[in-house]
Amino acid sequence: MPLFRPTPLLKMATSTGGKILEGVFGINKPIGISSAQVIRDCQNFFDPSARFAPALEQVREQRDKESKYQRNRRRRFPNKVQTKIGHGGTLDPLAGGVLILGVGKGTKSLQQFLLCTKTYETVVVFGASTDTYDRLGKIIKKGDYSNVTRDAVQKGLEPFRGKYRQMPPLYSSLKMNGKPLYEYAREGKPIPREIETREVEVSELELVEWYEPGTHKHYWPDEEAGQAEKDVAQSVWRVAKAQEDGGEESAAKMAAEEESKALEEFNSKKRAAEEAVDGLVSDETRASKRAKNEEGNPEDTLMSGALEVKKEKLTQPPKGRGSDLVPVRPDDMPAPWEGKGPPAAKIRMTVTSGFYVRSLCHDLGEKLGCGAMMAELVRTRQGQFTLGGANCLEYDDLLRGEEVWGPQVESMLDKWNARPGEIQEPTVENGGIKVESETVPAREEEPVAASG
C-alpha cells in the first residue's frame, strides 16, 4: 500500500495563469562536480526561464501571505526566490551518471528513490589501496599484482554476489559516537568500537571489460598517506577482517590490542608523519604551479566532465563551491609505477540501497591480495531512470540553451506526472528485460537534499 496517494503536479495556480512545471526527471551528472552543484546549475538556468516563471510567481504569492515568523526564518535571503529542486540520492564528485532531480512538489517523491535498486559501472585498478578506497585518496599500501589475471578477478568476484554484509569505507559519512569515521583517521585515533556492517544485495555482478597492463590510463594517486594515517587504516582493516572471520568477540579483543598499538605507534611516529606531510604539501604546490602553467585557453575547455568534441558556443553556469572537485592529471605526468603498471577492470553491478561501490573495489583487492581502488564510477540506472533514456537529460544540453533543454525538461516532467509516485524496477523475464512498477516506502534515515 502506498504511503500517500499521488496527485498530478501540473496545474494552473497563479493569479497570472500558466502551467506550473513540477515533477521528477533525471540528469547525467558530469564527473568533477557535486550533486548540490548540479542543483545550483539547474537553478541558474531554470530561474530566468519563462517556463518556470509561473512556479516562481506562485512562490512569491505564497510568501506574501506568510507570517512575520515565517519570513524571519529566511532572514539570510529574505527576498530570494528560486526554483525548488532536490535530488533523490547523491553522487560523489568522482562519480557521474544518473542523478534524479525533483522540481517543486516533485521533491516530495524523492525519498522513494532511496530504496530502489541502482546499476553502476566502475573501473577498478589493482596494485594499491587508498584511505578513501578510490583514486582521490592517499596510498596506504601497495601489493604485487603480477598474478592478477582476468580469470583471477572473475573468481574473486564470486563471494560478492547475492546477499552479504558489507563494511563501509573508513572515510564514509557514517558516524560512530557522533563522530565521522574519517575524523578518527585524520586525528590518528583508533576506532572506539567495531564498525557496523550493512546487509546488501548484489543481483548482477559482471566483469564487462579487461584492461591489460599498459593498455589503460587509470592511475593510482601520487600521494602516500603519512605513517600515522597508515597505522590507523591498517588497524581498522585488521579489526574488520577479524569481525568477518572470528565474530564479535574476536574483533573486540583485537580492537583493544590495535588501540594500544595504534596509540603507541602514533605518538612515536607523529613527528616523522608531519615532516612527510610537509614534503607532500611542497610537492603538491609545485605540481599545482606546473599544471597551471601548462593550462591552455580556458575558453577552449568545457566544464569538468563535459564532452569536448564539438566546438560550439556553450553557456557556462557560474563556478560554484561544488565545481572542479576532481583534479585532472596532466598528460605528461609520469606514471606512479615502473614498467607497464597494473591491470584494471570495468565491472557492472546492480545493487540495493546503501551499497558502497568503493568498498567492493577495495574488498576485491584484499581478496586478491594485491590491493585495489575505484578509478571511475558511473550510475547507469536508478529505478526507471536510465542513462541515455528519454527521462534523463544530458548535462551538456543545459549549456546549449533553453531551446535545447527547455522542451526536454517539460516533456520529462509531463511524463512523470502521467504516472506520479511510481518507481519502475527492471526485472528479467523470459530472457528479456521487463519493467515493473511498484511504490516504494520512504526511508527516513537518509536525507534528501533540496534547495530553493
Side-chain angles (χ1 to χ4, degrees):
M1 292 289 294
L3 295 180
F4 64 93
R5 184 180 300 277
T7 56
L9 297 175
L10 298 180
K11 52 191 175 184
M12 304 287 287
T14 66
S15 58
T16 57
K19 183 172 74 173
I20 293 179
L21 293 183
E22 296 182 307
V24 179
F25 72 101
I27 189 169
N28 183 5
K29 186 190 91 68
I31 294 173
I33 66 177
S34 67
S35 297
Q37 187 62 46
V38 173
I39 290 177
R40 289 190 287 269
D41 291 347
C42 286
Q43 289 172 328
N44 282 324
F45 286 106
F46 292 178
D47 290 350
S49 167
R51 282 183 168 85
F52 286 91
L56 295 179
E57 176 61 24
Q58 183 188 54
V59 174
R60 294 187 183 95
E61 291 178 357
Q62 291 172 344
R63 290 191 179 181
D64 288 341
K65 300 175 184 178
E66 287 180 343
S67 65
K68 183 178 180 181
Y69 170 76
Q70 290 174 314
R71 289 193 296 270
N72 286 339
R73 292 183 64 186
R74 281 193 308 276
R75 188 176 299 171
R76 189 178 178 187
F77 302 106
N79 300 318
K80 190 172 184 179
V81 176
Q82 290 180 301
T83 304
K84 184 179 181 181
I85 305 177
H87 62 67
T90 188
L91 281 172
D92 290 342
L94 183 57
V98 177
L99 181 68
I100 296 177
L101 298 181
V103 180
K105 292 184 178 179
T107 56
K108 295 181 179 180
S109 300
L110 291 176
Q111 283 200 354
Q112 300 179 63
F113 290 96
L114 295 177
L115 282 181
C116 67
T117 62
K118 307 169 184 68
T119 300
Y120 295 95
E121 287 188 357
T122 185
V123 173
V124 187
V125 59
F126 300 98
S129 300
T130 68
D131 51 5
T132 58
Y133 295 6
D134 59 42
R135 67 177 175 87
L136 298 184
K138 301 175 185 177
I139 293 178
I140 297 295
K141 65 176 181 178
K142 298 177 182 178
D144 180 15
Y145 49 81
S146 59
N147 294 322
V148 178
T149 63
R150 183 180 187 129
D151 289 341
V153 173
Q154 290 276 28
K155 186 176 180 180
L157 289 173
E158 291 177 4
F160 301 104
R161 293 186 173 94
K163 292 183 179 180
Y164 71 97
R165 299 200 68 84
Q166 186 186 58
M167 184 76 64
L170 176 63
Y171 273 67
S172 74
S173 58
L174 297 181
K175 293 183 178 180
M176 184 174 290
N177 296 345
K179 187 174 184 177
L181 292 183
Y182 62 81
E183 289 291 345
Y184 290 99
R186 285 180 177 175
E187 297 173 7
K189 296 180 179 178
I191 303 298
R193 56 182 168 83
E194 67 179 68
I195 304 171
E196 295 182 5
T197 59
R198 288 181 172 185
E199 183 176 85
V200 295
E201 183 174 3
V202 181
S203 57
E204 177 197 17
L205 185 61
E206 179 185 3
L207 197 163
V208 295
E209 197 165 351
W210 177 254
Y211 307 104
E212 291 288 349
T215 65
H216 63 87
K217 292 186 177 181
H218 300 291
Y219 298 104
W220 306 334
D222 292 281
E223 186 175 359
E224 292 202 19
Q227 189 59 50
E229 292 174 297
K230 288 183 179 181
D231 292 340
V232 173
Q234 294 279 17
S235 68
V236 171
W237 294 347
R238 285 193 289 268
V239 171
K241 191 174 189 308
Q243 284 183 214
E244 295 175 355
D245 297 342
E248 295 183 4
E249 185 175 344
S250 174
K253 182 179 179 181
M254 177 169 282
E257 295 173 353
E258 293 294 343
E259 177 176 356
S260 177
K261 181 179 179 181
L263 287 174
E264 183 180 347
E265 291 179 347
F266 173 70
N267 290 327
S268 65
K269 298 176 181 177
K270 182 177 180 181
R271 186 182 302 276
E274 290 174 347
E275 292 175 355
V277 170
D278 290 341
L280 289 172
V281 170
S282 299
D283 292 342
E284 183 179 332
T285 302
R286 287 193 292 270
S288 176
K289 289 181 179 180
R290 183 172 66 252
K292 183 176 290 187
N293 292 334
E294 294 171 355
E295 285 180 354
N297 186 346
E299 296 180 356
D300 293 336
T301 60
L302 302 184
M303 190 171 185
S304 176
L307 302 175
E308 47 180 317
V309 177
K310 299 180 181 179
K311 288 188 176 181
E312 54 184 314
K313 186 177 180 180
L314 302 178
T315 303
Q316 301 289 342
K319 294 285 186 180
R321 58 183 179 274
S323 304
D324 300 331
L325 298 180
V326 177
V328 178
R329 185 183 182 88
D331 291 335
D332 61 349
M333 191 171 184
W337 49 64
E338 295 181 1
K340 293 183 177 180
K346 179 182 286 187
I347 299 171
R348 181 189 299 126
M349 68 202 74
T350 297
V351 299
T352 52
S353 177
F355 187 89
Y356 285 96
V357 179
R358 287 178 294 152
S359 284
L360 172 69
C361 299
H362 173 83
D363 295 344
L364 177 61
E366 292 297 293
K367 181 73 66 175
L368 297 173
C370 63
M373 69 189 73
M374 186 182 79
E376 285 187 5
L377 179 63
V378 176
R379 185 156 68 195
T380 59
R381 183 192 62 80
Q382 182 175 358
Q384 73 267 41
F385 292 87
T386 305
L387 198 62
N391 55 4
C392 187
L393 180 73
E394 289 298 323
Y395 180 89
D396 281 358
D397 285 346
L398 286 176
L399 312 183
R400 295 187 174 98
E402 186 173 353
E403 64 275 9
V404 176
W405 64 258
Q408 293 186 69
V409 171
E410 186 169 353
S411 174
M412 291 174 186
L413 295 178
D414 286 344
K415 289 177 181 176
W416 166 261
N417 285 285
R419 303 178 68 181
E422 289 184 342
I423 292 180
Q424 299 169 14
E425 293 282 9
T427 59
V428 179
E429 184 177 88
N430 298 326
I433 297 295
K434 175 186 176 182
V435 174
E436 293 185 349
S437 298
E438 62 179 54
T439 301
V440 180
R443 186 176 186 178
E444 295 181 357
E445 66 266 27
E446 295 194 39
V448 178
S451 180

